[in-house]
Amino acid sequence: MLIRRKPIFTSQTGTPQNLASYFLSEFKSRPIEKYIVAAEIREEATEEEISSVASLAKMCLMLRGTDRPTMKEVE
């Protein structure tokens, strides 16, 4: 939603990239709201909204199922 890319996309270097891995890596290394969020999203949403959705996405991408929120918690 935030990045507007396919689950497997071609990076700027031309290599296939997994969106989930890319998101988690970028989330750790720099402010997500300013750098990897699609321009359309930055125009339509506040930084607080973007941060909230990004934090939720990060929790949903945890490798261990017990670390991920339930669908009820996501709701």
Side-chain angles (χ1 to χ4, degrees):
M1 288 180 2
L2 294 173
I3 301 172
R4 292 201 172 174
R5 293 189 184 199
K6 294 183 178 187
I8 303 294
F9 66 96
T10 303
S11 69
Q12 292 176 346
T13 62
T15 57
Q17 180 75 46
N18 176 295
L19 182 58
S21 298
Y22 173 77
F23 175 82
L24 290 173
S25 172
E26 294 297 311
F27 191 89
K28 290 178 188 175
S29 66
R30 54 188 176 160
I32 192 165
E33 8 355 272
K34 296 189 192 263
Y35 298 106
I36 69 167
V37 172
E40 300 92 350
I41 302 298
R42 286 194 307 265
E43 291 172 4
E44 297 172 7
T46 66
E47 280 192 30
E48 183 180 336
E49 291 169 328
I50 292 170
S51 291
S52 294
V53 171
S55 293
L56 178 60
K58 180 184 175 224
M59 290 186 301
C60 290
L61 291 172
M62 300 301 290
L63 293 177
R64 292 181 34 191
T66 56
D67 294 337
R68 292 190 296 265
T70 65
M71 289 308 293
K72 188 71 172 172
E73 292 169 325
V74 170
E75 178 185 43

